[in-house]
Each structure stands twice: as C-alpha cells, then as structure tokens.
C-alpha cells in the first residue's frame, strides 16, 4: 500500500543574519547593502562578488527521506535543533522546503502550538468557532462537534468568559479539544501537552491513541520518551537535520540515546570489549516478552547471556548485568550468586528482573563477566550496550498513579508493601 | 483509504492547490473579519456607535473648513453630502489599506503556526473596513433624507464604483501587507501615505476645481476616479464625469489589483520564515 506521507530528499535552508538583531529585514539595510555592493563593483569591476560574512547558510533539514504508512503512530525525536519543528512545519505546509518534495494523501490537522488563533478578548464559545475555522473546519462541522469539544475540554461553566481569564490549563484543554475533533486523516502534534495538567495530558494521549486506532495517522513530537514509547509504535530519530533512524519507536529512542551518549564518551570505556583470552560473549537476549524491546512495567522478565569459557582459569568467572539510565548514570549492577570455578565450555546465565522495580523509560543493559581471584578481579568482557529495553507503564490500577499521568521521578520505581491505618 | 486530499509539497509549486484551498477555507474570510469586528468593539462603552461617530465628525470638520471657511464650490448640492459622498470611499480605502497593511504582522502567530491561504488575512481586513463602509452608508442615507436630497437614476451605477473601490483597496492592501512582512519600515510609511492621500484626493473638495490641463495627470491617483464616480452616482444633477480620467483610474485599479495578487502570491511562501 502506498504510504500516506512520502518525503524525498527534503531540505530546508535558512540564511542566518548575524548583523541585525531583528528577524526581519529593514529597508535601510537593504538600501545600504546594495549601495555598498554598487560601490564595490565600481571600484573593482572585475572582482568576483564576495560572500557576505554576516550571512551564514544553515540547513535545518538536509536530504531527509522517509515514508509513513496509514494508521502509524510515529514519534519524531531528536535533540533541540535537530530539525523536528522544521519538519513539522513543512508537513503542515506552513513553510516550503528548499529542496525535495513530500507527497501527502489525506487531510492534515496540525497542532504546533496550543490555541493558535485564539483571541484573548473573545469568549470560549467564540474561540471554538474561530479556532475551528483556522484549523480548516466548516461552520456546520463545528456546530456538530460543539458539544463534544466543550465536554472534552471540561469548560461548560466558562463558555461565555473571555479566554484571557482562563487558567493556562483550561486554555490548553480547549485548544486541544478543538484540534482533536478535526476529522483529518493525519494528525500532527508538537510538544504542546507539556502545558496541561497531568490528568489532561493522559486524556490527550488517550485521545491521540484512539485517533491512531481509528486508522488515522498520528505524528507526535516530544522530548518525553515515556510518552513517545507509550503512544507510538514507529519512530523517526533526527540528528542535525538528517535521518538518524527510522523504525520502531523503541529502537528510535535507543538510537537517539546512543547518539547523545556518543557525545560524552566518558561512560563508554568498556563498550565493545566482548572477548578476552579466557572468555567470549556469544549472545544476549531478553526472554519471555513478546516484543524484545518493550516491557510492561508490571511484568517480570529474564535477561540471558550465553558465553564461552575458553580455558581453565583460577578464580571464579561471575556473570553480571549492569543497568544504565539513558543519561548514562548507573541504575544498579547485579552479580550472579553461587558461582564456582567452571571448566571450559559454553554456558548461559539468566537473571530474572522482577516487575514493578524499574521506572518507565529506556534502560541500557551492560553484560559482563568478571573473574574474581585472590581478592582481585579481572573484567573478561563487558558489553555496555548489549541490550536496550523500554519499560512501558500501562497506567492501569496497578500503577498507583491515582490518575496522575506525568513522569514519575527516579531511575527505579519499586513497589513495596505499605500499611496504612488510622493512628488514633 | 480513499481520500480527496492528495497533495505534493515541493519548493515553488503550490499554485494549483492554492485556489482549491482558498475555496476550502472560504469560511475563514468571514471568521477572521467577524473576530476583528467583535474584538474592536468588545471593551468600548458605546460599541458600534464608533463606526458612526468617526466619519460623522470628519464630515463636519471638512464641511466647516472647505465649505464654510474656504468657500469651495459645492456643485449645487449640500456641502455635507458632497463631502460625505467622497468620504465614504476614502475612509473605506484608508482603513482597508491600514488594516490590511498590518494584518499579517498582527496575525504573526497564526502564520507561523498553522496553514491556510495567507491571502485570507489581508482580505478579511478589507472586509472589516467594508463593514464600516456600509455603516457609514447609513449616515449618508440619513443626511440625504435630512436635506431632502434625492438621488437620480445614477445611484444604480454605485455598485460599480463600490466594486472599483474594493479592488483598489484590495490591491493596495495586498501590496502593503506583503511588503510590511519583509520590510517593517512600511509600518511607518502606512500612516504617512494615508495622511498624504487624503490631501491629494478630492475628498474635502470637488475635483472640478483642478485645472482642466492637470485633470488627466490628477487621475493618476486611482482614488480620484473612485471618488468622482461616487459623487457622480450619488449627487447626480450637475456633477460631471471626466471620462478619460475615470478610464485611466480604472486601468490603474485593475493593474494594482492584479500585480498585488501576483506579488502577494510570490512572497507568501516565505512569510512563515520571515515573520
């Protein structure tokens, strides 16, 4: 089937003007610059026209090609300045690409900013109509959806209050409610949900998920990786305006973290050392989960390594696993228990990680074999990025969230037994 | 999924889709104009009365200064009506020009965050001014009843001149709004142009006081043709239409409109990057 969005060789060039403070051109500058240019031409008529040092060409996107299939929920990730917003602007036709082309099949609704076109002096009711029209809805369509919008935004009581008196939460709710009712085949959402309260964030994410299940395509930009991995199955990672990776959301998140990790190499010193004279890492896997990279926060899972001991050595070769948070910080390390000296051969080691211990988000698992002898230890191998997994919180009744949908702090989120009673 | 919307985004190739989009977003013309009208009078005490008071006061001043102090000829019709017949199209043009000129800048957030044919923004500003124009029209009708002045058959040609006024306001508005995005200097030029235009257009006086030798040159100002047309249609009787001047004005109006649309369309795709 043909993709709903097909981008080929997209590029967007901006010319940065170092001279002026303002983003716009003043006529004065144009006049003086062309006068200068003329004067130079008069004095040196045959000199090649020199490039102006105050102008710098900047490619926000370059040679970007990708396809998005119908019904996909695609997360676009990348660092600040990677070109995410520019890409969204091109897809929503706000700006034109400098090179390349995009073919889009379907009506596009984009929510790049909360409450675009809202006028503070107008009431909620008036703004629903105005915003709906700005987003491309007809008056009849808005009338038909009016009650749904009001119900979704939970602003019945304030319908006839000017939106300048709204709290920022109400503002966001109303804005998202209008956009969510737009019957488009493709929904583009920039990181706009950060403004609303957590409960509403969840509602919005739920709505977007539902949109995706209706066979509509969702493109979502966020810095919140937990939101991306919860909401999207596909991911596009951008780096400096180019495509870093396209595939599953989990892998895209992994690639994104790996690319940011490369920037500071200090934590990566053991990476790639899979073999020593004594031992060799053969394989690693996560057992007992349907998709190797996604794990329900409540479920146990088993990580397994297969390794070979090549020769008889003194001391005990102890397998161990290291868990890292995406920023490179250590979550914890765990050593195998009850290891004795092993004769050469191929072994496996499994470790069961209980559910409700890791927090949601991405983890990198390092796999190592350490030889302990005479109160010393030697690292036989240590593959720091052997495995990656995304822990996903289904936000059900076991999550102890009580309706809160935002990020939970900490690298770990263990579930302990609690006892609460009336003290007196 | 079968869909009617099949779109290719490519540098410099948006025109075919554009007119289709303009039709699809047709209700936005109305909504933006509705917003501006609503907002304008929202926090005012007397609200819509402002739309009546402004032209009324201008008319009084002009009648006093030109009719009573300068004693300019009135072509046998009451001077207030002579002034008002010209003030009507002039105010429409001046408001439309100013509002359209600043419309893109004041809707910058819309332009950088959501897609729709940008042509809608200045056009809505012109529509808002047209609403004011219609309200002022009521004053004129009142004045004519007050003075017992009844128009001749020529009043039937008025829609043609209204159309001409609309075209020149639209064309000039498109030019200035697009220029204003690129060069913010036009912010300061707009009020100056409007002020100057008031004096070089025959608003306070009849263009019959311009010497015949200069009349054709005078008609290079397209508003001369529009205002003379309005007077001719409304005052009837003695006012004469200067045909060469009118045709020259008409030609200029059409070329301003066409070039305005063309210029706007060619700069439009860069608005979001510039604004």
């Amino acid at each position: 089937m043909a993709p709903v969005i097909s981008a080929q060789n997209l590029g967007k060039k901006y010319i940065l003007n170092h001279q002026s403070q303002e983003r716009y051109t003043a006529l004065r500058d144009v006049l003086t610059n062309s006068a200068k240019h003329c004067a130079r031409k008069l004095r040196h008529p045959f000199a090649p026209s020199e490039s102006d040092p105050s102008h710098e060409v900047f490619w926000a996107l370059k040679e970007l090609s990708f396809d998005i299939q119908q019904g996909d929920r695609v997360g676009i990730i990348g660092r600040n300045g990677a070109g995410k917003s520019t890409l969204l602007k091109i897809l929503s036709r706000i700006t034109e690409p400098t090179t390349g082309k995009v073919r889009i099949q379907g009506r596009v609704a984009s929510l790049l900013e909360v409450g675009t076109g809202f006028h503070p002096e107008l009431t909620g009711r008036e703004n629903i109509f105005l915003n709906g029209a700005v987003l491309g809805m007809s008056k009849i369509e808005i009338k038909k959806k009016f009650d749904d919008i009001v119900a979704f935004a939970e602003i019945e009581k304030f319908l006839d209050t000017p939106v300048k008196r709204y709290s920022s939460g109400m503002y966001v709710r109303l804005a998202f409610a209008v956009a969510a009712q737009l019957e488009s085949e493709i929904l583009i959402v920039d990181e706009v949900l950060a403004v609303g309260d957590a409960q509403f964030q969840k509602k919005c994410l739920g709505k977007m998920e539902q949109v995706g299940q209706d066979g509509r395509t969702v493109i979502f930009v966020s810095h919140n990786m937990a939101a991306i991995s919860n909401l999207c199955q596909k991911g596009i990672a951008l780096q400096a305006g180019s495509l870093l990776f396209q595939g599953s959301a989990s892998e895209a998140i992994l690639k994104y973290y790996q690319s940011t990790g490369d920037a500071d190499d200090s934590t990566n010193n053991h990476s790639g050392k899979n073999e020593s004279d004594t031992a060799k890492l053969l394989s690693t896997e996560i057992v007992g989960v349907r998709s190797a990279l996604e794990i329900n926060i409540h479920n146990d899972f088993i990580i397994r390594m297969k390794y070979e001991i090549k020769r008889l050595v003194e001391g005990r070769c102890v397998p161990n696993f290291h868990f890292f948070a995406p920023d490179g910080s250590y979550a914890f390390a765990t050593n195998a228990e009850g290891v004795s000296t092993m004769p050469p051969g191929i072994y496996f080691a499994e470790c069961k990680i209980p559910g409700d211990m890791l927090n949601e988000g991405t983890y990198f698992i390092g796999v190592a074999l350490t030889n302990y002898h005479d109160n010393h230890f030697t690292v036989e191998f240590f593959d720091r990025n052997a495995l990656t997994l995304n822990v996903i919180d289904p936000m059900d009744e076991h999550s102890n969230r009580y309706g809160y949908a935002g990020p939970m702090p900490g690298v770990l989120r263990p579930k302990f037994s609690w006892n609460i009673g009336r003290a007196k | 999924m079968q869909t009617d919307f099949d779109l290719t985004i490519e540098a410099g190739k948006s025109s075919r889709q554009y007119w289709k989009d303009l039709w699809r977003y047709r209700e936005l013309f109305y909504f933006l104009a509705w917003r501006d009208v609503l907002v304008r009078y929202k926090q005012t005490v007397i609200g819509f009365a402002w739309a009546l008071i402004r032209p009324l006061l201008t008319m009084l001043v002009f009648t006093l200064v030109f009719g009573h102090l300068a004693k300019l000829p009135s072509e046998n019709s009451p001077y207030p009506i002579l002034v008002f017949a010209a003030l009507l199209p002039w105010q429409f043009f001046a408001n439309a020009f100013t509002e359209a000129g600043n419309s893109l800048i004041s809707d910058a957030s819309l332009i950088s965050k959501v897609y729709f044919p940008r042509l809608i923004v200045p056009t809505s500003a012109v529509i808002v001014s047209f609403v004011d124009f219609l309200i002022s029209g009521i004053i004129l009708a009142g004045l004519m009843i007050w003075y017992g002045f009844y128009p001749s058959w020529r009043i039937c040609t008025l829609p043609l001149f209204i159309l001409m006024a609309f075209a020149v306001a639209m064309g000039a508005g498109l030019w200035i709004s697009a220029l204003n995005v690129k060069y913010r200097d036009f912010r300061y030029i707009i009020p100056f142009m409007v002020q100057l235009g008031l004096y070089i257009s025959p608003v306070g006086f009849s263009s019959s006081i311009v010497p015949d030798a200069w009349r054709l040159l005078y008609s290079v100002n397209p508003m001369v043709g529009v205002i003379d047309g309005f007077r001719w249609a409304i005052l009837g009787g003695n006012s004469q239409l200067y045909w060469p001047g009118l045709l020259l004005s008409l030609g200029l109006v059409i070329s301003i409109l066409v070039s305005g649309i063309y210029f706007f369309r060619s700069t439009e795709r860069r608005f979001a990057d510039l604004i």
Side-chain angles (χ1 to χ4, degrees), chain B residues 204-217:
Chain B
F205 48 86
S206 160
S207 54
S208 59
I209 64 169
V210 176
D212 277 350
W214 296 94
R215 241 176 121 198
L216 194 63
L217 187 66

Side-chain angles (χ1 to χ4, degrees), chain B residues 96 100 103-104 118-127 170 173-174 177 264:
Chain B
S103 61
L104 289 170
R118 309 310 189 200
L119 207 60
I120 293 173
V121 175
T123 309
S124 294
V126 174
I127 291 174
M170 197 58 215
L174 288 178
S177 61
F264 192 90

Side-chain angles (χ1 to χ4, degrees), chain A residues 12 14 23-28 30 70 89-107 110 112-113 116-117 119 121-123 126 129-130 133-139 142 164 185 215, chain B residues 1-3 5-14 17 21 24-25 27-28 30-32 34-36 38-39 42-43 109-116 118 181-187 189 268-269 272-275:
Chain A
K12 176 74 186 174
Y14 284 102
R23 287 175 66 198
Y24 50 81
T25 343
L27 197 55
R28 170 199 50 173
V30 175
Q70 189 221 317
K89 278 190 175 179
I90 290 174
L91 292 181
S92 33
R93 284 202 285 165
I94 291 161
T95 182
E96 269 193 344
T98 315
T99 64
K101 62 178 177 183
V102 196
R103 182 145 187 249
I104 298 178
Q105 281 168 299
R107 194 167 151 187
S110 54
L112 300 196
E113 189 189 57
T116 315
H119 198 290
E121 295 287 348
L122 300 182
T123 66
E126 288 161 348
F129 280 95
L130 179 63
V134 165
L135 294 175
M137 278 192 251
S138 70
K139 199 171 174 179
I142 304 170
K164 65 177 176 184
E185 284 83 33
Chain B
M1 178 160 42
Q2 276 302 308
T3 164
F5 305 100
D6 185 352
L7 166 78
T8 304
I9 301 171
E10 202 174 350
K13 285 190 185 170
S14 58
Q17 188 70 31
D21 281 340
R24 205 156 70 77
Y25 279 88
E27 287 188 348
L28 194 56
Y30 161 73
F31 273 111
L32 286 184
W34 168 78
R35 173 197 69 179
D36 288 342
L38 219 56
V39 166
K42 203 115 208 193
Q43 281 198 326
S109 67
L110 270 189
I111 283 165
S112 58
K113 292 294 179 191
V114 66
Y115 169 81
F116 55 87
R118 309 310 189 200
V181 171
K182 187 135 203 261
Y183 307 109
R184 298 293 159 93
D185 307 60
F186 283 92
R187 237 183 329 200
I189 300 177
E268 179 181 24
R269 64 188 59 137
D273 299 334
L274 289 169
I275 212 157

Side-chain angles (χ1 to χ4, degrees), chain B residues 40 54-55 84-100 122-137 159-173 194 198 203 223 226-227 230:
Chain B
R40 180 137 47 112
R54 282 193 307 176
F84 214 90
L87 208 53
L88 212 55
W90 172 256
Q91 287 262 353
F92 167 56
F93 172 78
N95 288 342
F97 185 68
T98 312
E99 298 292 327
T123 309
S124 294
V126 174
I127 291 174
V128 172
S129 308
F130 191 70
V131 172
D132 286 345
F133 168 82
L134 293 178
I135 293 171
S136 303
L160 292 176
F161 294 108
I162 293 177
L163 202 67
M164 194 169 156
F166 203 93
V168 68
M170 197 58 215
V194 168
L198 180 60
V203 179
M223 282 310 286
V226 174
I227 290 171
F230 264 72

